Amino acid sequence: MILDRTISPVSYKMKKQNFFVPKKICSRKGIDIFLVSFGNEEIVKIEFFFESGIWYEKKNGESYFSSILIQEGSKNKNQNDIADFFDFHGAFFSVKNGVDYTSVSISCLAKFVEKILNFFFEMINFLDPKEDRFIHLKDLEVQKIKIRNAEIDF
């Protein structure tokens, strides 16, 4: 069968879609919280968005390196402790850096939400970025940029 591109394909009117409408809650500190409930599910995903992307940087690389250092540990927990905690509870933790924001995403079993959130807030509240780790990350990024600039594009 040969396609005849002069004839437009058959189209149908779209049926009404039922989108989930988030419930907006304002915390005591004035932070907007949006909840989307799909009923009683065993798995929960929580995302935090911080206005800390590239757009808000005072110095180049601040948001990028901050997003990496969040995962490096706090005063009470090192990187291995964090990984072990999330692995033990079957949870997933990721940090993404963007232009307008940095997001932290946590996926876990519903029965562990309170324990995991308490752990996460402890991590965030007691961040202890090490100067030598920052310098190491900066040097690695400089090397990556040099390698990218040295590659030949065809």
Side-chain angles (χ1 to χ4, degrees):
M1 181 173 143
I2 298 174
L3 290 176
D4 185 359
R5 298 198 184 271
T6 60
I7 302 171
S8 59
V10 179
S11 63
Y12 301 97
K13 190 172 184 176
M14 196 168 130
K15 296 177 184 176
K16 183 180 178 186
Q17 298 295 317
N18 294 325
F19 293 105
F20 294 99
V21 179
K23 180 180 177 184
K24 183 179 177 181
I25 301 170
C26 190
S27 73
R28 284 179 264 159
K29 298 208 176 202
I31 298 171
D32 291 335
I33 300 170
F34 296 92
L35 300 173
V36 179
S37 178
F38 297 104
N40 283 342
E41 299 295 331
E42 291 184 25
I43 297 178
V44 175
K45 182 175 183 178
I46 302 166
E47 288 194 74
F48 299 93
F49 292 90
F50 302 97
E51 289 182 345
S52 64
I54 296 166
W55 184 258
Y56 299 95
E57 288 181 348
K58 292 179 180 152
K59 293 183 179 180
N60 288 343
E62 269 182 341
S63 63
Y64 172 75
F65 291 115
S66 297
S67 66
I68 292 174
L69 291 171
I70 286 173
Q71 304 170 74
E72 296 286 321
S74 64
K75 289 182 180 179
N76 304 327
K77 310 282 188 231
N78 65 28
Q79 189 174 14
N80 290 334
D81 294 336
I82 293 169
D84 289 345
F85 180 84
F86 282 99
D87 285 345
F88 180 79
H89 292 90
F92 177 74
F93 170 73
S94 71
V95 180
K96 295 179 185 167
N97 182 25
V99 175
D100 297 323
Y101 61 88
T102 297
S103 70
V104 177
S105 177
I106 300 171
S107 300
C108 64
L109 294 172
K111 63 183 177 182
F112 296 129
V113 167
E114 188 174 343
K115 187 180 271 192
I116 288 173
L117 284 177
N118 287 334
F119 184 86
F120 172 72
F121 291 135
E122 180 185 333
M123 271 176 47
I124 294 294
N125 288 324
F126 298 105
L127 281 177
D128 188 25
K130 308 281 190 258
E131 183 70 25
D132 59 332
R133 183 66 182 141
F134 171 75
I135 292 168
H136 177 71
L137 289 171
K138 184 178 167 186
D139 291 342
L140 283 175
E141 195 61 30
V142 168
Q143 286 176 0
K144 286 180 194 175
I145 291 169
K146 285 180 181 177
I147 290 170
R148 260 185 268 140
N149 289 341
E151 290 177 355
I152 300 172
D153 291 332
F154 290 99

